[in-house]
Amino acid sequence: MSGIVVQNISRAAREVTEGLAKCGVATVHEAQGRTGLLSHHMRPIFPGARVAGSAVTIAAPPGDNWMVHVAIEQLQEGDILVLAPTSPCVDAYFGDLLATSVRARGCRGLVIEAGVRDVRDLTAMQFPVWSKAVFAQGTVKATLGSVNVPIVCDGALINPGDIIVADDDGVCVVPRANAAQVLEKAQAREAEEEVKRKRLAAGELSLDIYDMRSTLAARGLKYV
Amino acid sequence: MSGIVVQNISRAAREVTEGLAKCGVATVHEAQGRTGLLSHHMRPIFPGARVAGSAVTIAAPPGDNWMVHVAIEQLQEGDILVLAPTSPCVDAYFGDLLATSVRARGCRGLVIEAGVRDVRDLTAMQFPVWSKAVFAQGTVKATLGSVNVPIVCDGALINPGDIIVADDDGVCVVPRANAAQVLEKAQAREAEEEVKRKRLAAGELSLDIYDMRSTLAARGLKYV
Amino acid sequence: MSGIVVQNISRAAREVTEGLAKCGVATVHEAQGRTGLLSHHMRPIFPGARVAGSAVTIAAPPGDNWMVHVAIEQLQEGDILVLAPTSPCVDAYFGDLLATSVRARGCRGLVIEAGVRDVRDLTAMQFPVWSKAVFAQGTVKATLGSVNVPIVCDGALINPGDIIVADDDGVCVVPRANAAQVLEKAQAREAEEEVKRKRLAAGELSLDIYDMRSTLAARGLKYV
Amino acid sequence: MSGIVVQNISRAAREVTEGLAKCGVATVHEAQGRTGLLSHHMRPIFPGARVAGSAVTIAAPPGDNWMVHVAIEQLQEGDILVLAPTSPCVDAYFGDLLATSVRARGCRGLVIEAGVRDVRDLTAMQFPVWSKAVFAQGTVKATLGSVNVPIVCDGALINPGDIIVADDDGVCVVPRANAAQVLEKAQAREAEEEVKRKRLAAGELSLDIYDMRSTLAARGLKYV
Amino acid sequence: MSGIVVQNISRAAREVTEGLAKCGVATVHEAQGRTGLLSHHMRPIFPGARVAGSAVTIAAPPGDNWMVHVAIEQLQEGDILVLAPTSPCVDAYFGDLLATSVRARGCRGLVIEAGVRDVRDLTAMQFPVWSKAVFAQGTVKATLGSVNVPIVCDGALINPGDIIVADDDGVCVVPRANAAQVLEKAQAREAEEEVKRKRLAAGELSLDIYDMRSTLAARGLKYV
Amino acid sequence: MSGIVVQNISRAAREVTEGLAKCGVATVHEAQGRTGLLSHHMRPIFPGARVAGSAVTIAAPPGDNWMVHVAIEQLQEGDILVLAPTSPCVDAYFGDLLATSVRARGCRGLVIEAGVRDVRDLTAMQFPVWSKAVFAQGTVKATLGSVNVPIVCDGALINPGDIIVADDDGVCVVPRANAAQVLEKAQAREAEEEVKRKRLAAGELSLDIYDMRSTLAARGLKYV
């Protein structure tokens, strides 16, 4: 089942991924019904990045980054590389040399359920990575994996071409078919939140804005 | 036992909480006999914040932030919101909208043995949060908890109105009744440390300042 | 077996440790055959530091920092203090007072498989620490350990006088006897990487630079 | 996306699931190309059980087992219940009363990426459970989830009707479409292993049986 | 605050603790409104034990079991020893010699948020222990703690004389003042469950027994 | 530095290893000054085993068990196989086929800072294993490691030929040169403990046996 590179994958429109990036992970995740979130173990190597792009996926053996080299050739402008090891691993599949290479191909970031190194250089380059670990341990190039096959990465199913949204809150995947609709909902949600933010900033209570008092009383909440 | 909101809690004097904030967590913790510390799992979402305030406590069901909305009405200027889930949970009970609301009520920070989201916005607002996780997963509003009841948060017993001190070293709780006395001891400790810091900076050894050599020899320490 | 302080240890030449610091952990680790790495649990308390120096080692009982005071007298310009507890512990053996003291002795940093506190002050001082935890819990001074004996720290064997290299990627130990040779290899590796970086930045693929295509095909990689 | 119960799912033939159970997790996992394994966090509540059956899947909110009650009606003889919470949770969604109920429907076991309780009774009943935790904390019945939808459970994608194989080594999922073919390969593998086991028991070395010596020498292995 | 031994503590009546032991942790925890549970990290060293007794509490420094020796003198027939370290620790505060001693005093078990050793002997003696770890690392006797003071043990507040209930599901604490009432509710709950168990065993569905179908439909559950 | 097999290693006398096995891990660990213990993460796959033997060590790449096959040829009657991966890994390097093979060579057990599988069969064979995980994930045979070189396994330095002692409390390593002396101390310790056990069983207090009352009073312990 490994040893496969899928070359032609469909991608979402650039304006859709850019719109999703602006909304951010928390809003996109809510907008698609609280699905598609990777776990809280996936952390950015530096704060402040917010990106979205089409997933080029890698299923890689533990401690072996051969398939990263293979995947780079499949990258296009606006893509995000996503790697899941085939068993738990914290080795660094990726560092500043590979970041230089993928950036030259237009790649906007890396999501990896494993380790990464050269984070000082990656930070200087402002190349964003979301990873499970920072670890200097390198890898070998001895065993095949696959590129652009469906993977489960840190608890989420990711198909090649799905949209990855990532920021300081973590990483979320949006199935490509739903992306435009999710963007619409996310933007509507943002507009609504803007209104609420002003009311809350002015001192109104969410208890009143959302009219929760009667329901709370009905459930038996007692003030003492 | 849940479904209760205690409305009138006693709080410490403002100058006491402000004094404790200046001393910081490590000094306060020492000054009260090394008690009241939450575990090292509680981390700030951005570095550099140092706050103290009166605890408004929340006991909340896993994945349900209804009680946060209820608690906000109980907040006063200088309070710190403290949430413990009734079973282990990393969901985000809190984000930038709620931060806007609690700040409008005078709240100085959040301590939560669970998750938080919108950390980019919270950082921009400089609203400090100490949490067990950063996670975009939202919550429901379906089940009652309680507000301003005693809670165990990340290993420490916290009564409503106790003083919470939090900085980059973590979070410490000071029972309200002891607060003035702890402040006094903490300030004395700081003064002493200032003297020692100068001697140590000048190259003196703590072995000599604290007169440890004879005790060490008596215990059998051997130089080879 | 405890209660020993070894006073005269051999150290590497200053230009060797400084050379290794410039190469950084990932490169040094590769240059010595992927050995000597501490685990990914060892994290810097602030980003950006990159140091190397000779190890002054401490084996300390859990929750007891007496031996840190003893070790300080053994420090020389350019040393790095390395502490391993004799059983797992996250207590803070070290804070800003001790940092003031060790810096006065010329110490360049601390590597500790336990906790550290006063990280706000340590950050302000720019005194670098790599630790397993940040925790305000202090220690006692009641039980002997040893100074400058071989220790296993976070999975790596460290002899006193070995060279410690530490940066944002973690911590690596280089046996003193190999240090000059490792430096040479690390610098050669850096030079090589510089060449590759330029080719990759120009859009060349590592598949071609490393001539991997035929091996991949021989192993059965299929493009579909 | 939640609030759905799919009623008619396809199941594998009984002789296929029974055949897979006999082969066990390690063999089945190898036979399908090392895919489909849940993580090592999934542990049996008592040793010695070995089962296989068709998955009836549950996506449940954290701390809420309402959907378990809904799922029971969908169970048929030979099924295995599989529950993934929609965010990380260790609460007990299941205990001896529910075990009594699902057994009455023919269910052979539970796989749950969360907690379970009443393990003394479950052990007495010999009702096998693979879970992430044993925990007495109960759940509420307040929020909808879904039944018989695709889920990601502890890192593996599981579709309703897929075959679950579970024993002391953990849990593996076999896509229904591949089940017969995987069984065939697993049985062939078992036959082969039987031959090897005899040779190894007689003292032959795998170095010779698999003819590894020349490859090892070619790679540079040195005997000293 | 440490260095105190409280000698006269109140205990619950024997028939109450024995009644609670029979009900078990899960039932008792439900009967007192889902409070008082220690976390799932507390595991029995062998399966099958089910005990209840009055808590004799110990607050002990990390890696120091001096206070265990002090506490033994305070034990009476039917007590359970409960130890919380003052900072996280997995060292073995307790082994077969101490078990021999506490059993001679009538103690029925140990609950310890740390390590334990000699588990082979403890199993042979059938002396039950619930601990966070099994670890052979011993402790020193150098620093004071306290006996029979309130402690927070693995997330639960325990006062001396409170009732500890422990079995394969974990550990629960019942405040002494509530013990008789909790027992009554627990027994009522058991009686009810017996009835339900029979109906469920006969194939009835909880959907019908608890009349959930209409509520589920009202919330929007869809069968497809 | 890898790719080496050391063929002739020195081993301890059989009566020494057998003597140490009888004393068990906790006693041996105390007898050698509380050194040499592997962490509490190393757990037996079934309870009750107690073994000791000479270490044949393996340094293996993550997810690659080629060196296990190489190591088997080096095994002699009474040896224990010890494997440390060169970076963190939970894959199963070992199962029932390899157990059959190593047993045929006289090997008494396996200590592995990684995973193991076929635990049902290993339990039936009563072949003891201490591992960090049970996991069905297999390995490849693609990259060299080394056999009979010094390794750090789960925090302890192990040289080939050192004595490994393992039981339900964990795993301890005794340097070969010290083995006879450690055995002597361990047996003395056991004899002493036997005397104390009788006194404690008769109800005497360790406070009196060890004469602790005056020291405790001097430190300030207060009975209230």
Side-chain angles (χ1 to χ4, degrees):
Chain A
M1 212 150 287
S2 39
I4 290 167
V5 183
V6 177
Q7 290 185 282
N8 296 307
I9 62 168
S10 301
R11 289 167 168 87
R14 189 68 49 83
E15 60 272 18
V16 172
T17 60
E18 279 170 12
L20 290 168
K22 273 191 202 116
C23 295
V25 170
T27 299
V28 168
H29 177 242
E30 290 288 342
Q32 70 174 339
R34 293 190 183 165
T35 59
L37 201 59
L38 280 67
S39 95
H40 65 289
H41 297 296
M42 219 53 126
R43 300 301 303 142
I45 57 168
F46 55 81
R50 178 169 275 189
V51 301
S54 300
V56 165
T57 65
I58 305 173
D64 191 313
N65 79 344
W66 214 4
M67 286 305 112
V68 177
H69 297 269
V70 172
I72 292 172
E73 194 174 22
Q74 307 305 320
L75 287 168
Q76 297 184 3
E77 177 67 34
D79 284 348
I80 289 183
L81 207 51
V82 184
L83 186 150
T86 54
S87 68
C89 184
V90 292
D91 292 352
Y93 288 73
F94 193 92
D96 76 309
L97 278 187
L98 287 172
T100 301
S101 179
V102 303
R103 174 163 276 179
R105 309 287 296 186
C107 177
R108 300 192 174 177
L110 169 71
V111 170
I112 177 166
E113 192 192 1
V116 66
R117 67 183 178 187
D118 302 327
V119 297
R120 197 164 106 139
D121 297 319
L122 295 174
T123 303
M125 292 169 67
Q126 287 288 296
F127 184 84
V129 177
W130 286 259
S131 72
K132 206 174 76 173
V134 171
F135 194 33
Q137 177 77 41
T139 55
V140 296
K141 291 168 191 51
T143 306
L144 297 187
S146 288
V147 171
N148 279 333
V149 294
I151 57 174
V152 172
C153 182
D154 194 43
L157 175 66
I158 301 179
N159 283 293
D162 281 352
I163 291 87
I164 302 295
V165 188
D167 63 18
D168 290 346
D169 288 347
V171 181
C172 188
V173 57
V174 180
R176 192 173 55 84
N178 312 344
Q181 187 189 354
V182 169
L183 174 58
E184 209 172 306
K185 284 189 190 171
Q187 288 172 331
R189 197 178 165 90
E190 288 228 306
E192 261 179 65
E193 288 199 345
E194 200 41 46
V195 175
K196 279 178 209 156
R197 188 174 291 109
K198 279 179 191 149
R199 294 177 65 180
L200 293 167
E204 273 191 85
L205 291 171
S206 51
L207 282 182
D208 298 315
I209 296 178
Y210 300 101
D211 199 14
M212 296 175 180
R213 293 189 193 273
S214 55
T215 330
L216 286 163
R219 290 289 174 89
L221 189 68
K222 282 192 188 64
Y223 285 83
V224 297
Chain B
M1 209 149 290
S2 37
I4 291 167
V5 183
V6 177
Q7 289 184 284
N8 296 308
I9 63 168
S10 301
R11 289 169 167 87
R14 188 68 50 83
E15 61 271 21
V16 172
T17 59
E18 277 168 13
L20 290 168
K22 272 190 202 117
C23 294
V25 169
T27 300
V28 168
H29 177 241
E30 290 288 341
Q32 71 173 339
R34 292 189 184 166
T35 58
L37 202 59
L38 280 68
S39 96
H40 65 289
H41 297 296
M42 220 53 124
R43 299 302 303 142
I45 57 167
F46 55 81
R50 178 169 275 191
V51 301
S54 300
V56 165
T57 64
I58 305 173
D64 192 313
N65 79 344
W66 215 4
M67 286 304 111
V68 178
H69 296 270
V70 171
I72 291 172
E73 194 174 22
Q74 307 305 320
L75 286 168
Q76 296 184 6
E77 177 67 34
D79 285 348
I80 289 183
L81 207 51
V82 184
L83 185 150
T86 54
S87 68
C89 185
V90 291
D91 291 351
Y93 288 73
F94 192 91
D96 76 312
L97 278 186
L98 287 172
T100 301
S101 178
V102 302
R103 174 162 277 178
R105 309 287 295 187
C107 177
R108 298 191 176 178
L110 169 71
V111 170
I112 178 164
E113 193 192 1
V116 65
R117 66 181 178 187
D118 302 328
V119 297
R120 198 165 105 137
D121 297 319
L122 295 174
T123 303
M125 291 169 68
Q126 286 288 297
F127 184 84
V129 177
W130 287 259
S131 71
K132 207 173 75 173
V134 171
F135 194 32
Q137 176 79 39
T139 54
V140 296
K141 292 167 191 50
T143 307
L144 297 187
S146 288
V147 172
N148 279 333
V149 294
I151 57 174
V152 172
C153 181
D154 194 43
L157 176 66
I158 301 179
N159 283 293
D162 281 352
I163 291 86
I164 302 296
V165 188
D167 63 17
D168 290 346
D169 288 347
V171 181
C172 189
V173 59
V174 180
R176 193 173 52 84
N178 311 344
Q181 189 188 352
V182 169
L183 174 58
E184 209 173 306
K185 284 190 191 170
Q187 288 171 332
R189 196 178 166 89
E190 287 229 307
E192 261 179 65
E193 288 200 346
E194 199 42 44
V195 176
K196 279 178 209 155
R197 188 174 290 110
K198 279 178 191 148
R199 295 177 65 181
L200 294 167
E204 274 191 85
L205 289 172
S206 50
L207 283 181
D208 299 313
I209 297 179
Y210 301 100
D211 199 15
M212 297 175 180
R213 291 188 194 274
S214 55
T215 328
L216 285 163
R219 292 287 175 88
L221 188 68
K222 281 192 191 65
Y223 285 83
V224 297
Chain C
M1 211 148 289
S2 37
I4 291 168
V5 183
V6 177
Q7 291 185 283
N8 296 307
I9 63 168
S10 301
R11 288 168 168 86
R14 189 67 49 85
E15 61 270 20
V16 172
T17 59
E18 279 169 12
L20 290 168
K22 271 189 204 118
C23 294
V25 170
T27 299
V28 168
H29 177 241
E30 290 288 341
Q32 70 174 338
R34 292 189 183 166
T35 60
L37 201 59
L38 281 67
S39 95
H40 65 290
H41 297 296
M42 220 52 127
R43 299 303 302 142
I45 58 168
F46 54 82
R50 177 168 275 190
V51 301
S54 300
V56 166
T57 64
I58 305 173
D64 191 313
N65 79 344
W66 215 4
M67 285 305 110
V68 178
H69 296 269
V70 172
I72 292 171
E73 194 174 22
Q74 308 305 320
L75 287 168
Q76 295 184 6
E77 177 67 33
D79 285 349
I80 289 182
L81 206 52
V82 184
L83 186 150
T86 54
S87 67
C89 185
V90 291
D91 291 351
Y93 288 73
F94 193 91
D96 76 312
L97 278 186
L98 287 173
T100 301
S101 178
V102 303
R103 174 163 278 178
R105 309 288 294 186
C107 177
R108 301 194 174 176
L110 168 71
V111 170
I112 178 166
E113 192 192 1
V116 67
R117 66 182 178 187
D118 303 327
V119 297
R120 200 165 101 138
D121 297 319
L122 296 174
T123 304
M125 292 169 67
Q126 285 288 297
F127 183 85
V129 177
W130 286 259
S131 71
K132 206 173 75 172
V134 171
F135 194 32
Q137 176 77 42
T139 55
V140 296
K141 293 168 191 47
T143 306
L144 297 186
S146 289
V147 172
N148 278 334
V149 293
I151 57 174
V152 172
C153 181
D154 194 43
L157 175 66
I158 301 179
N159 284 293
D162 281 353
I163 291 86
I164 302 295
V165 188
D167 63 17
D168 290 346
D169 288 347
V171 182
C172 187
V173 58
V174 180
R176 193 173 53 84
N178 312 344
Q181 187 188 354
V182 169
L183 174 58
E184 208 172 308
K185 283 190 190 168
Q187 288 171 332
R189 196 177 166 91
E190 287 229 308
E192 259 178 67
E193 288 198 345
E194 200 41 46
V195 175
K196 279 179 210 156
R197 188 174 290 110
K198 279 178 191 148
R199 294 178 64 182
L200 293 167
E204 274 191 85
L205 289 172
S206 50
L207 283 181
D208 299 314
I209 297 178
Y210 300 101
D211 198 15
M212 297 174 178
R213 292 188 193 274
S214 55
T215 329
L216 285 163
R219 291 288 174 88
L221 188 68
K222 282 193 188 63
Y223 286 83
V224 297
Chain D
M1 212 151 287
S2 38
I4 291 168
V5 184
V6 177
Q7 291 184 283
N8 296 307
I9 63 168
S10 302
R11 289 166 166 88
R14 190 67 49 85
E15 62 272 18
V16 172
T17 60
E18 279 170 11
L20 290 168
K22 273 192 201 116
C23 295
V25 169
T27 300
V28 168
H29 177 241
E30 290 288 342
Q32 69 174 339
R34 293 190 183 165
T35 59
L37 202 58
L38 281 66
S39 95
H40 65 289
H41 297 295
M42 220 53 128
R43 299 302 304 143
I45 58 168
F46 55 81
R50 178 168 274 189
V51 302
S54 300
V56 165
T57 64
I58 305 173
D64 191 312
N65 80 343
W66 214 5
M67 285 305 110
V68 178
H69 296 269
V70 171
I72 292 172
E73 193 173 24
Q74 307 306 321
L75 287 169
Q76 296 184 5
E77 178 67 34
D79 284 349
I80 289 183
L81 207 51
V82 184
L83 186 150
T86 53
S87 68
C89 185
V90 291
D91 292 351
Y93 288 74
F94 193 92
D96 76 311
L97 278 187
L98 287 174
T100 301
S101 179
V102 303
R103 176 164 275 178
R105 310 286 297 185
C107 178
R108 301 192 173 176
L110 170 71
V111 170
I112 177 166
E113 192 192 1
V116 66
R117 67 182 179 186
D118 303 327
V119 297
R120 198 165 104 139
D121 298 318
L122 296 174
T123 304
M125 292 169 67
Q126 287 288 296
F127 184 84
V129 177
W130 287 259
S131 71
K132 206 173 76 174
V134 172
F135 194 33
Q137 177 78 40
T139 54
V140 296
K141 291 166 191 55
T143 306
L144 297 186
S146 289
V147 172
N148 278 334
V149 293
I151 57 174
V152 172
C153 182
D154 194 43
L157 175 66
I158 301 180
N159 283 294
D162 281 352
I163 290 88
I164 302 295
V165 188
D167 63 18
D168 290 346
D169 288 347
V171 181
C172 188
V173 57
V174 180
R176 192 173 54 85
N178 311 344
Q181 187 189 353
V182 169
L183 174 58
E184 209 172 307
K185 284 189 191 170
Q187 288 171 333
R189 196 176 165 92
E190 287 228 307
E192 260 179 66
E193 287 199 347
E194 200 41 46
V195 175
K196 280 178 208 156
R197 188 175 290 110
K198 280 180 189 147
R199 295 177 65 180
L200 293 167
E204 273 191 86
L205 290 170
S206 51
L207 283 181
D208 299 315
I209 296 179
Y210 301 100
D211 199 16
M212 295 175 182
R213 292 188 193 274
S214 54
T215 330
L216 285 163
R219 291 288 175 90
L221 189 68
K222 284 194 187 61
Y223 286 82
V224 295
Chain E
M1 212 149 288
S2 39
I4 290 168
V5 183
V6 178
Q7 290 184 284
N8 296 308
I9 63 169
S10 301
R11 288 169 168 85
R14 189 67 49 85
E15 61 271 19
V16 172
T17 59
E18 279 170 13
L20 290 168
K22 271 189 204 117
C23 294
V25 169
T27 299
V28 168
H29 177 242
E30 290 287 342
Q32 70 174 339
R34 292 190 184 165
T35 59
L37 201 60
L38 280 67
S39 96
H40 66 288
H41 297 296
M42 221 53 128
R43 298 303 303 143
I45 58 168
F46 54 81
R50 177 169 275 190
V51 301
S54 300
V56 166
T57 64
I58 305 173
D64 191 313
N65 79 344
W66 215 3
M67 286 305 111
V68 177
H69 296 268
V70 172
I72 292 172
E73 195 175 20
Q74 307 305 321
L75 286 169
Q76 296 184 5
E77 178 67 34
D79 285 349
I80 289 182
L81 207 52
V82 185
L83 186 149
T86 54
S87 67
C89 185
V90 291
D91 291 352
Y93 288 74
F94 193 91
D96 76 312
L97 278 187
L98 286 173
T100 301
S101 179
V102 303
R103 174 163 277 179
R105 310 285 296 184
C107 177
R108 300 193 174 175
L110 168 71
V111 170
I112 177 166
E113 192 191 0
V116 66
R117 66 182 179 187
D118 302 327
V119 297
R120 199 166 104 137
D121 297 319
L122 295 174
T123 303
M125 294 169 66
Q126 286 288 296
F127 183 84
V129 177
W130 287 260
S131 71
K132 206 173 76 173
V134 172
F135 194 34
Q137 176 78 41
T139 54
V140 296
K141 292 168 191 50
T143 307
L144 297 186
S146 288
V147 172
N148 278 333
V149 294
I151 58 174
V152 172
C153 182
D154 194 43
L157 174 67
I158 301 180
N159 284 293
D162 281 352
I163 291 87
I164 302 295
V165 188
D167 63 17
D168 291 347
D169 287 348
V171 182
C172 188
V173 58
V174 180
R176 193 174 54 84
N178 313 345
Q181 187 189 353
V182 169
L183 174 57
E184 206 172 309
K185 283 189 191 169
Q187 289 171 331
R189 195 177 166 91
E190 287 228 307
E192 259 177 66
E193 287 199 344
E194 200 42 46
V195 175
K196 279 178 209 156
R197 188 175 290 109
K198 278 177 192 151
R199 294 177 65 179
L200 293 167
E204 274 190 86
L205 290 171
S206 50
L207 282 182
D208 298 315
I209 297 179
Y210 299 101
D211 198 15
M212 295 174 181
R213 291 188 195 273
S214 55
T215 330
L216 286 163
R219 291 288 175 89
L221 188 68
K222 283 194 188 62
Y223 286 83
V224 296
Chain F
M1 211 150 287
S2 39
I4 290 167
V5 183
V6 178
Q7 289 184 285
N8 296 307
I9 63 169
S10 301
R11 289 168 167 85
R14 189 67 50 84
E15 59 273 20
V16 172
T17 59
E18 279 170 11
L20 289 168
K22 272 192 201 115
C23 295
V25 169
T27 300
V28 168
H29 177 241
E30 290 288 341
Q32 70 174 340
R34 292 190 184 164
T35 58
L37 201 59
L38 280 67
S39 96
H40 65 289
H41 297 296
M42 220 51 128
R43 300 302 303 143
I45 58 167
F46 54 82
R50 178 169 274 191
V51 302
S54 300
V56 166
T57 64
I58 305 173
D64 191 313
N65 80 344
W66 214 4
M67 286 304 110
V68 177
H69 296 269
V70 172
I72 292 172
E73 194 174 21
Q74 308 305 321
L75 287 168
Q76 295 184 4
E77 178 66 35
D79 285 348
I80 289 183
L81 207 51
V82 184
L83 186 150
T86 53
S87 68
C89 184
V90 291
D91 291 351
Y93 288 73
F94 193 91
D96 77 311
L97 278 186
L98 286 173
T100 302
S101 179
V102 302
R103 175 163 276 178
R105 310 287 297 186
C107 177
R108 298 191 176 178
L110 169 71
V111 170
I112 178 166
E113 192 192 2
V116 66
R117 66 182 180 187
D118 302 328
V119 297
R120 197 164 107 138
D121 297 319
L122 295 174
T123 303
M125 291 168 68
Q126 286 287 297
F127 183 84
V129 177
W130 287 258
S131 71
K132 206 173 74 173
V134 171
F135 194 33
Q137 176 79 40
T139 54
V140 297
K141 292 168 190 52
T143 306
L144 297 186
S146 288
V147 172
N148 278 332
V149 293
I151 56 174
V152 173
C153 182
D154 195 43
L157 175 65
I158 301 179
N159 283 295
D162 282 351
I163 291 87
I164 301 296
V165 188
D167 63 17
D168 291 346
D169 288 347
V171 181
C172 188
V173 58
V174 180
R176 193 174 53 83
N178 312 344
Q181 189 189 352
V182 169
L183 174 58
E184 210 172 306
K185 284 189 190 170
Q187 287 171 333
R189 195 177 166 91
E190 288 229 308
E192 261 179 65
E193 287 199 345
E194 199 42 45
V195 176
K196 279 177 209 157
R197 189 175 288 109
K198 279 179 191 146
R199 294 177 66 181
L200 293 167
E204 273 191 87
L205 289 171
S206 51
L207 283 181
D208 299 314
I209 297 179
Y210 300 100
D211 199 14
M212 296 174 182
R213 292 188 194 274
S214 54
T215 329
L216 285 163
R219 290 289 174 90
L221 189 67
K222 283 193 187 62
Y223 286 83
V224 297

